[in-house]
Amino acid sequence: MAYADQDGMSTNRLVSVIIVILLHAFLGYALVTGLAYDAVATLKEKMTVVDVKEEEPPEEEEPPPEPEKQIEPPVVSPPPLVQTVTPPPTIRTVATPPPSAPIVPTAAPPAPPPPAPAGPTADAKPRGNPGNWANTNDYPSRALQQEREGTTGFRVTIGVDGRVVDCVVTQSSGHDDLDAATCSNVKRRARFEPAVRNGEKVQGSYSNRVRWQIPK
């Protein structure tokens, strides 16, 4: 039985091979005769042609402007510290001379006393009464009419002859005419004993006042 089964299986295998070969031959013939073309055309009609458009790439956005870079000021290093070295002071030794002996001031001798006068010494003195040098009759007429009064001080220079050489008003009465009348009358009427120095006559001076008063 084993041999019979093997022969049956070989026959079936052989039949299958032959069928396959025939099928391939038929297909090859169909392709050659145009069957294949019709089949391709039918398939082509059934196919939907889709026009695929290429998508345009999106526009690239402009990149944002870069922020301005802040320019930092250059870093300047401080100047180097210069240390000034002060040289030590020079010490000079100066020879000090020995102290000299103190100078004691010597008092000057006193001045010799003035020589004793050889003769008498005296100041000028008026002769007579000085009240008579100016009187009511000498009153300036305008001052008398205006009833002006006052006192005039004077100083006279006396020569060696006893006469008045010069007259100066030392105190004004406040009225020029009264002052002028004072010196005019004194120079005209006053007489003096001249001044004497060491027994000799010299120039001297004399001072007094005249009061101008209207008689009542």
Side-chain angles (χ1 to χ4, degrees):
M1 287 190 61
Y3 291 109
D5 293 335
Q6 289 180 358
D7 290 339
M9 292 177 63
S10 299
T11 302
N12 292 331
R13 184 176 296 176
L14 180 62
V15 174
S16 299
V17 171
I18 292 170
I19 291 170
V20 171
I21 292 171
L22 291 174
L23 183 57
H24 280 83
F26 174 76
L27 290 174
Y29 176 78
L31 289 173
V32 173
T33 58
L35 293 175
Y37 177 78
D38 294 336
V40 172
T42 303
L43 291 173
K44 186 175 181 180
E45 291 178 359
K46 293 181 178 181
M47 292 176 62
T48 303
V49 180
V50 179
D51 187 6
V52 180
K53 293 183 180 180
E54 294 182 0
E55 295 182 359
E56 294 182 0
E59 293 183 0
E60 295 182 359
E61 296 181 357
E62 293 183 0
E66 295 183 358
E68 294 183 359
K69 295 182 179 180
Q70 297 182 354
I71 301 175
E72 297 183 357
V75 179
V76 180
S77 58
L81 181 61
V82 179
Q83 295 183 354
T84 305
V85 179
T86 305
T90 305
I91 300 175
R92 295 182 179 180
T93 304
V94 180
T96 305
S100 57
I103 299 174
V104 179
T106 304
T121 298
D123 294 330
K125 295 180 180 180
R127 296 176 183 173
N129 183 11
N132 296 328
W133 293 346
N135 52 50
T136 305
N137 295 330
D138 299 324
Y139 216 108
S141 58
R142 183 177 295 273
L144 187 61
Q145 292 173 2
Q146 296 175 356
E147 297 182 354
R148 291 187 280 106
E149 298 178 341
T151 301
T152 302
F154 67 91
R155 182 178 67 250
V156 292
T157 301
I158 305 163
V160 292
D161 59 354
R163 292 180 174 272
V164 176
V165 178
D166 189 20
C167 177
V168 178
V169 175
T170 57
Q171 177 185 348
S172 175
S173 63
H175 307 286
D176 293 340
D177 50 357
L178 296 179
D179 295 341
T182 299
C183 278
S184 176
N185 287 284
V186 169
K187 290 173 68 176
R188 182 164 55 93
R189 295 193 180 113
R191 295 292 181 270
F192 292 88
E193 294 290 339
V196 178
R197 295 289 183 272
N198 298 327
E200 295 182 1
K201 295 180 180 180
V202 296
Q203 280 190 351
S205 62
Y206 174 83
S207 298
N208 206 336
R209 294 183 301 173
V210 174
R211 182 178 180 183
W212 296 95
Q213 185 175 9
I214 299 174
K216 304 297 183 185

